[in-house]
Amino acid sequence: MPRKRSLLRRQLDDSSSDDDDFEILAVVVTVDTFANAKKKHGGSVPAHRVLYRDREGGHKRMFQDYLAVNPTYGPEIFRRRYRMSRELFLRIMKAVEGHDDYFVQKRNAANVLGLSCFQKITAAMRMLSYGVPADATDEYVRIGESTALESLRRFVDAVDELFGEEYLRYPNEADTTRLLAIGEQKGFPGMLGSIDCMHWAWKNCPYEKQGQYKGHVEKPTIILEAVASNDLWIWHAFFGMPGSHNDINVLHRSPLFDNLAEGRAPEVNFSVNGHDYTMGYYLADGIYPTWATLVKSITLPMGNKSQYFARAQEAARKMVERAFGVLQSRFAIVRGPARIWDIQTLSKIMRACVIMHNMIVEDEGFVVDPNERFDYGGENVEPAHGQPTRTLDEYIDAHRRIRDKETHLQLKEDLIEHLWNHHPDLY
């Protein structure tokens, strides 16, 4: 380093003034010093105050409050604060603890017992359920801000890895049969649910990305596209598109129809008004395209039949709006502005909330067989992506049939007649 300085000083003496020489030399020395400086090993910070949080005592109080044989707060209060029954919560907590060693209670080098799995998951659930910042859980859970954030990230990762394949599955044959029966009862044979998009405000969106994520609401948002059925089960969740996109842009990038185009979706055959159809459909609002797999309302209905169909379609497709409302009520973190800085963590949070939403629907509504767990995954549950089972020509032809406008118009006319003739008093 001294030799570099002397060489630089001789070069500067030949071509620069004295004042410029010293300024440039000072900058070079400063940059070189920081570049060669060794990073200190992490550890205790001198003069930093260490808080005694009494973690073990905090766990005992929490256990008595909620998990004891005779808890201070009963099942109703537990359900309100954790958004789910105690049995379901214990099932999730046990699975997460067995999946990730981070949640196993350990002792440190001083033989002091650390945070329990119940404390870490409670901190994560309070942030998800109430939408509070990380340091708001410290006084009761006895957990630091950085540890609470780490617990949140690991918890949503574990929920996605453990339960995502089962509770964010695409409908299998049994599911499709049940969804078609629900659609028939509502006067829409062949209906598999309703589709719409929800915007989640991103408070801490980086400045350089705000133009990309700002849309019609003048603040950064991230879009969730979802398909829900009448029992509020969310069958499809596609999250991460910037808020500057509309529903059509999101649909074109969504994997919603991938299984159908690749020939891996369960077959759907139904007849309406004397016409046969081989693809199910979703109810959608007016912005969506006129595809064979989407049924929209009529903007300006003329005549009693069209008016009745428009009223019936708009009433039936509210199921996805109800699902959004319940999701936001259960997990306030997706209702308020997101404070996380990175999109990857936000995506995991949204997926975990949707998964736990479906688990609560199953636990409280028995919408599926509670004994059916899809433990081995492959037989009943097909992934959203994979090796195509069709040739390229067959794949292109399937996409054409999915987006066929004539089929869309014919299906709408048949549904208008079907509702008027068979369900005149349903809506």
Side-chain angles (χ1 to χ4, degrees):
M1 180 61 191
R3 184 178 181 183
K4 291 182 180 178
R5 294 178 186 174
S6 61
L7 291 175
L8 180 63
R9 183 176 288 106
R10 285 200 300 269
Q11 293 175 1
L12 294 175
D13 290 340
D14 296 337
S15 58
S16 306
S17 63
D18 292 340
D19 294 338
D20 293 339
D21 291 351
F22 286 109
E23 291 180 4
I24 296 174
L25 181 61
V27 172
V28 171
V29 171
T30 302
V31 172
D32 187 75
T33 301
F34 278 100
N36 294 307
K38 293 183 179 180
K39 294 183 178 180
K40 294 183 178 180
H41 186 273
S44 301
V45 180
H48 178 72
R49 181 186 176 188
V50 178
L51 298 179
Y52 175 68
R53 288 187 167 88
D54 188 20
R55 295 169 177 171
E56 188 173 357
H59 168 76
K60 292 179 180 178
R61 288 188 292 271
M62 290 174 57
F63 187 88
Q64 174 58 42
D65 286 344
Y66 295 107
L67 300 184
V69 177
N70 295 312
T72 305
Y73 303 105
E76 297 80 8
I77 298 180
F78 187 100
R79 168 66 179 79
R80 187 175 74 233
R81 293 178 178 173
Y82 285 85
R83 303 300 195 255
M84 62 185 72
S85 65
R86 187 170 72 169
E87 292 73 18
L88 178 58
F89 176 82
L90 291 175
R91 175 192 164 199
I92 295 175
M93 185 174 71
K94 182 179 179 181
V96 169
E97 185 176 13
H99 177 75
D100 190 348
D101 184 69
Y102 173 80
F103 291 96
V104 178
Q105 191 174 26
K106 309 177 186 69
R107 293 184 180 273
N108 61 16
N111 202 33
V112 176
L113 200 61
L115 291 165
S116 67
C117 179
F118 184 39
Q119 287 172 294
K120 293 178 180 179
I121 293 182
T122 296
M125 286 299 301
R126 290 296 168 90
M127 286 187 280
L128 295 175
S129 302
Y130 291 94
V132 297
D135 62 347
T137 63
D138 189 6
E139 293 141 325
Y140 178 67
V141 184
R142 302 297 179 178
I143 187 170
E145 179 181 3
S146 60
T147 309
L149 288 172
E150 180 69 12
S151 300
L152 174 65
R153 291 188 173 95
R154 287 181 174 267
F155 176 72
V156 295
D157 277 339
V159 169
D160 188 15
E161 294 171 5
L162 287 168
F163 304 107
E165 186 178 15
E166 177 180 352
Y167 290 96
L168 266 185
R169 67 182 184 271
Y170 280 81
N172 54 42
E173 293 184 2
D175 298 327
T176 302
T177 301
R178 187 170 58 84
L179 292 174
L180 292 175
I182 295 174
E184 179 68 34
Q185 292 176 359
K186 299 183 75 66
F188 289 90
M191 181 187 70
L192 297 173
S194 60
I195 182 173
D196 205 353
C197 290
M198 180 189 82
H199 287 253
W200 185 15
W202 191 5
K203 178 179 180 294
N204 287 337
C205 176
Y207 182 78
E208 64 273 11
K209 295 183 179 180
Q210 290 191 8
Q212 180 183 4
Y213 283 85
K214 282 184 179 179
H216 63 284
V217 293
E218 289 300 323
K219 58 183 177 181
T221 60
I222 313 171
I223 301 175
L224 168 69
E225 179 192 70
V227 170
S229 54
N230 190 56
D231 48 31
L232 301 182
W233 186 286
I234 298 176
W235 293 100
H236 163 76
F238 175 58
F239 179 79
M241 293 294 293
S244 57
H245 291 73
N246 58 23
D247 295 4
I248 302 176
N249 305 137
V250 176
L251 179 66
H252 281 291
R253 292 160 176 80
S254 169
L256 176 61
F257 296 115
D258 283 3
N259 282 357
L260 181 60
E262 295 172 5
R264 294 187 284 112
E267 293 184 3
V268 175
N269 297 293
F270 63 98
S271 179
V272 183
N273 199 34
H275 294 94
D276 297 328
Y277 297 92
T278 59
M279 293 185 299
Y281 60 86
Y282 304 100
L283 301 183
D285 57 21
I287 192 176
Y288 281 88
T290 53
W291 290 2
T293 50
L294 300 172
V295 172
K296 303 189 295 181
S297 182
I298 302 174
T299 306
L300 297 173
M302 303 297 292
N304 293 333
K305 292 183 180 180
S306 298
Q307 291 176 3
Y308 183 71
F309 170 80
R311 186 165 65 251
Q313 195 273 352
E314 292 166 7
R317 72 174 171 84
K318 290 299 180 183
M319 62 185 76
V320 68
E321 300 290 348
R322 291 173 53 230
F324 286 151
V326 173
L327 179 68
Q328 292 179 335
S329 297
R330 283 176 174 159
F331 303 103
I333 192 172
V334 301
R335 183 175 69 243
R339 299 184 181 91
I340 304 297
W341 294 93
D342 60 291
I343 189 69
Q344 292 79 14
T345 302
L346 293 176
S347 299
K348 288 294 182 67
I349 289 174
M350 179 61 75
R351 283 182 59 87
C353 289
V354 172
I355 290 169
M356 289 189 290
H357 165 85
N358 285 344
M359 296 178 75
I360 296 169
V361 170
E362 179 192 65
D363 182 61
E364 298 181 352
F366 301 102
V367 295
V368 296
D369 183 0
N371 296 319
E372 188 176 22
R373 290 286 175 223
F374 303 98
D375 293 331
Y376 302 100
E379 296 181 0
N380 295 324
V381 183
E382 292 294 337
H385 300 282
Q387 294 297 324
T389 58
R390 289 177 169 173
T391 64
L392 179 59
D393 292 338
E394 291 173 337
Y395 181 80
I396 294 174
D397 181 66
H399 263 286
R400 288 175 179 170
R401 290 189 291 108
I402 290 172
R403 306 181 181 210
D404 187 65
K405 183 176 180 180
E406 293 183 1
T407 304
H408 169 91
L409 297 175
Q410 182 63 55
L411 176 60
K412 181 182 287 189
E413 292 295 329
D414 290 337
L415 288 173
I416 291 174
E417 293 295 331
H418 176 80
L419 279 168
W420 184 259
N421 295 326
H422 296 86
H423 302 277
D425 300 323
L426 194 58
Y427 295 95

